[in-house]
Amino acid sequence: MTMSMQMHETLTGMPKFRPLARIAARFAGYRVYRDKMAELELVSDRELDELNITRNDLREIALQAARRREAELLAA
């Protein structure tokens, strides 16, 4: 591995020459985001209040789940 490849991987956390893997991981992440948003939108305001979560937080929660999935796939 060259120095620039090591630097890229260190800075981004992703190998440089895996474009198809990154595309597949991004798509999987989008599916997780979409599914989580659909699931979270079904939760009542009362249940969200009990969990101390606002409707404004739902997008960030879904994005975190999507990013975790992408990272899992890229780490494999």
Side-chain angles (χ1 to χ4, degrees):
M1 189 181 299
T2 67
M3 182 64 113
S4 68
M5 288 173 61
Q6 288 174 336
M7 179 79 78
H8 177 80
E9 191 166 348
T10 302
L11 293 175
T12 65
M14 291 186 242
K16 189 172 184 176
F17 295 110
R18 293 183 54 202
L20 293 179
R22 285 188 289 183
I23 291 168
R26 182 62 58 107
F27 185 69
Y30 170 73
R31 287 194 320 252
V32 168
Y33 172 79
R34 184 189 62 206
D35 293 345
K36 288 295 178 191
M37 280 301 294
E39 182 181 339
L40 290 168
E41 287 172 348
L42 295 176
V43 178
S44 72
D45 289 335
R46 183 176 180 168
E47 291 171 317
L48 290 174
D49 189 46
E50 289 174 3
L51 297 170
N52 201 26
I53 297 172
T54 66
R55 291 244 170 237
N56 293 334
D57 298 330
L58 299 184
R59 182 175 181 270
E60 185 60 34
I61 293 168
L63 279 172
Q64 289 174 2
R67 289 181 186 134
R68 276 193 306 271
R69 181 63 180 146
E70 288 178 29
E72 289 171 1
L73 291 173
L74 290 172

